[in-house]
Amino acid sequence: MSFETLGLMPELVRALSDKGYTEPTAIQSQAIPAILNGNDVLGGAQTGTGKTAAFTLPILQRLAEHPNAKAKGPRVLILVPTRELAVQVHTSIREYGKNIRLRTAVMYGGASMNPQMMALGKGLDILVATPGRLIDHLERGTAQLHRVETLILDEADRMLDMGFLPAIKKILNQVPKQRQTLLFSATFDAPIKQLALQFMRSPVEVQVSSQNTVAQTVNHIAYPVDTARKRELLTEILSERYQDQILVFVKTKHLCNRIAEQITKDGIPALAIHGNKSQGQRLKALSDFKAGNVRVLCATDVAARGLDIPLLPLVINFDLPMVAEDYVHRIGRTGRAGANGDAISLVATDEGGLLRAINRLLKQDIVLEPKPGFEPKHAMRMDITPPGRGRSTGHQSPRRKPSQPGHLKSHGMASQKPKHGGQPAGRRDKRG
Ligand code: AMP
């Protein structure tokens, strides 16, 4: 299957081939024809499946075929949960749409209002926004949504987890009833279904099973090791994989900083990305990492969620996540879009319980095999969870269960605090 056979115009196909995409991913071949056809679409897909292009390409095509230079206010509104995702989606739009005349803008909390107001005043083809900041503009009267032809909710489950449901409802009530609505989510439990039922018209459902993608393309490796020697082992692995870009997951912000500093001292330049860093610092660290200026990026779960870091050959878990589902999110950074990847976990003897929970969730046994020279002094305890790890089992949240085995919920902790929309409904912890 080629992009042409999906009905995409040459301007878009050229941009895709410049990016090196030769054929559509599963979600793209399912969603693009339906969106081009004008249908509402309910898409089940996580980051890493190519979902951004799946909804962006047909929208760009429609804008190109029916230009409307006079429009005040956006013709297409894309709502996303975090600023990082907003920037990424906007960048993708600029890349895929580089051969088309387009007016686009991106807005999110934490950035200055004025340039955003100016962009809104000029009228736009596409606006990418986080719900909280868009509500700010609506309340000030600096945004108008009466021209919206297509509304896209990206990572809808995360937006709900972050407490954005009231904001989303307010926004939905301000866009025209006659419109196309596209909703993408990794999970489809009751609140998402309700939203879809209430605000969509007979949506076409498209689905890709991301857990299969993970299982087939990721090689899971677990090294049992004493906590005191984890850092040494990390440096060893980083040195062995000296040609690779590597993402290292660390459970706390403090440890994240410390590890980045220590491995930099070991001669491997590394940056840290976590919730205490300013947005500018986070974006700079990410772009330095993407550009290859630094080879190693240390991240907490929350800071890394939703970041688009393509073709990462290796993810290291410096420690296991306290919630088993976070393991799946972490390794979602590798083995993406069909490429192979390794996920290496450093497992202290008291983290056996966490590994067991991960094995249960993945329905496979990750083999624990010591790295020569780093054999732990004590035997692995599979029955305990380390102290201070909050909920003890690493099982799924009692509030929600994944609707299908292949769709693991994205636990939401706001990397951006929702200003509007009340308390986040999901688990709130102090990490990230
Ligand atoms: P997404 O799920 O939108 O975050 O995309 C995941 C990654 O896959 C991004 O780095 C995209 O640039 C890449 N990608 C999207 N579509 C394709 C494709 N058809 N072929 C190869 N890579 C793709």
Side-chain angles (χ1 to χ4, degrees), residues 95-389:
E95 286 175 356
Y96 302 145
K98 67 180 184 181
N99 302 319
I100 293 171
R101 270 178 74 94
L102 273 181
R103 291 162 308 168
T104 66
V106 55
M107 43 199 65
Y108 41 79
S112 147
M113 293 287 275
N114 276 346
Q116 300 182 351
M117 270 150 54
M118 276 164 64
L120 285 168
K122 284 191 189 133
L124 287 168
D125 291 304
I126 303 179
L127 172 63
V128 185
T130 52
R133 177 50 63 101
L134 183 58
I135 292 281
D136 285 345
H137 282 291
L138 289 171
E139 283 174 355
R140 287 176 183 218
T142 47
Q144 294 171 339
L145 301 181
H146 62 284
R147 297 264 188 185
V148 171
E149 299 161 23
T150 302
L151 173 71
I152 301 165
L153 303 169
D154 190 17
E155 306 210 352
D157 51 352
R158 278 177 72 197
M159 289 200 279
L160 298 202
D161 277 349
M162 289 170 70
F164 282 136
L165 183 61
I168 290 172
K169 283 193 168 163
K170 252 189 217 169
I171 292 165
L172 278 160
N173 285 326
Q174 296 208 21
V175 294
K177 290 220 158 28
Q178 201 59 36
R179 60 161 198 270
Q180 183 180 34
T181 309
L182 315 175
L183 186 153
F184 287 83
S185 185
T187 54
F188 281 97
D189 36 17
I192 300 279
K193 281 193 190 136
Q194 239 169 29
L195 196 67
L197 268 177
Q198 205 178 340
F199 293 102
M200 297 177 81
R201 286 170 302 143
S202 353
V204 172
E205 292 185 28
V206 298
Q207 190 86 30
V208 292
S209 167
S210 41
Q211 199 187 21
N212 287 344
T213 318
V214 165
Q216 283 159 16
T217 58
V218 175
N219 179 29
H220 305 266
I221 300 158
Y223 294 131
V225 61
D226 289 329
T227 306
R229 298 198 67 201
K230 274 194 176 186
R231 225 254 311 132
E232 203 186 325
L233 176 54
L234 176 65
T235 302
E236 168 102 357
I237 300 166
L238 295 176
S239 310
E240 282 174 6
R241 301 282 296 248
Y242 64 93
Q243 286 178 316
D244 291 332
Q245 292 283 110
I246 300 168
L247 187 59
V248 180
F249 279 99
V250 184
K251 69 184 169 203
T252 65
K253 300 177 231 186
H254 176 66
L255 195 60
C256 186
N257 274 338
R258 215 171 68 208
I259 298 291
E261 277 164 24
Q262 286 174 338
I263 52 186
T264 303
K265 273 195 198 133
D266 289 343
I268 305 165
L271 290 172
I273 182 167
H274 54 68
N276 275 5
K277 298 267 179 187
S278 74
Q279 195 229 329
Q281 287 171 320
R282 282 152 72 168
L283 288 177
K284 171 85 170 54
L286 183 64
S287 70
D288 278 349
F289 181 65
K290 278 184 163 181
N293 301 339
V294 283
R295 203 163 63 73
V296 179
L297 187 65
C298 297
T300 55
D301 289 285
V302 169
R305 196 158 292 159
L307 292 183
D308 176 22
I309 305 161
L311 298 179
L312 215 52
L314 172 60
V315 166
I316 298 177
N317 296 306
F318 186 80
D319 35 40
L320 289 179
M322 68 174 180
V323 176
E325 288 158 312
D326 280 345
Y327 181 85
V328 178
H329 292 300
R330 289 177 173 195
I331 64 171
R333 314 285 148 214
T334 187
R336 307 174 93 193
N340 286 317
D342 293 326
I344 298 182
S345 301
L346 312 190
V347 188
T349 46
D350 62 354
E351 288 179 300
L354 299 174
L355 185 64
R356 204 175 41 153
I358 291 164
N359 284 340
R360 241 184 314 193
L361 184 67
L362 294 183
K363 298 194 174 62
Q364 73 178 87
D365 275 335
I366 301 175
V367 180
L368 268 166
E369 210 167 302
K371 188 148 173 72
F374 290 90
E375 292 82 358
K377 288 198 190 106
H378 303 286
M380 182 66 61
R381 291 283 309 271
M382 298 303 281
D383 55 338
I384 54 164
T385 302
R389 286 288 184 119

Side-chain angles (χ1 to χ4, degrees), residues 3 21 23-25 28 46-52 96 308 310 337:
F3 285 108
Y21 301 177
E23 54 182 66
T25 64
Q28 289 161 6
Q46 278 186 338
T47 307
T49 52
K51 71 178 162 60
T52 314
Y96 302 145
D308 176 22

